[in-house]
Amino acid sequence: MSSCIFCKIIAKEIPGKIVYEDDTFIAFDDINPQAPVHVIIVPKEHIPTFNDLKESHKEMVGHLSLVVNKLAEIKKIQDPGFRVVINCNPAGGQMVYHLHVHLMGGRQMAWPPG
Ligand code: AMP
Ligand code: ZN
């Protein structure tokens, strides 16, 4: 999608601090990190929100969990732990309408989140 900022990072039209890439996903450091480690994990397919996931995305969604684990290992936050967040639509706080996962760590997280 030509106007989508994450599609532009995937296409390397704008720079991102890419920490992982495979055929299905790209992951890069968040430009406005909310924790010492804050990685954004993005499927290369332009899927606007979590609500848009379909049966055909089953394999990709499974693969996503393994990519999160791999990134937690790369960023050395498997221990003591980390947080994984998906914001969906305005009430969920979604700002970029290309499905993505936040992986955050390197500090103690609070609960409930804001
Ligand atoms: P969300 O509120 O879940 O849509 O989160 C969007 C996230 O993308 C925010 O944490 C932003 O800081 C991050 N972000 C937006 N533009 C960029 C960019 N060009 N490079 C890296 N992260 C970005
Ligand atoms: Zn996109």
Side-chain angles (χ1 to χ4, degrees), residues 6 20 25-28 39-43 64 67-69 71 84 98-103:
F6 287 173
Y20 175 84
F25 289 98
I26 195 163
F28 46 86
V39 180
I40 300 290
I41 303 157
V42 180
L64 173 62
V67 172
V68 168
N69 268 354
L71 279 156
V84 176
H98 180 135
L99 178 64
H100 54 280
V101 171
H102 299 253
L103 169 63

Side-chain angles (χ1 to χ4, degrees), residues 1-19 21 26-31 40 42 96 98:
M1 203 208 193
S2 59
S3 63
C4 169
I5 192 145
F6 287 173
C7 282
K8 286 181 178 164
I9 293 175
I10 292 163
K12 315 274 164 65
E13 288 169 13
I14 63 167
K17 283 186 70 182
I18 295 167
V19 286
E21 184 169 10
I26 195 163
F28 46 86
D29 289 329
D30 197 293
I31 205 166
I40 300 290
V42 180
V96 177
H98 180 135

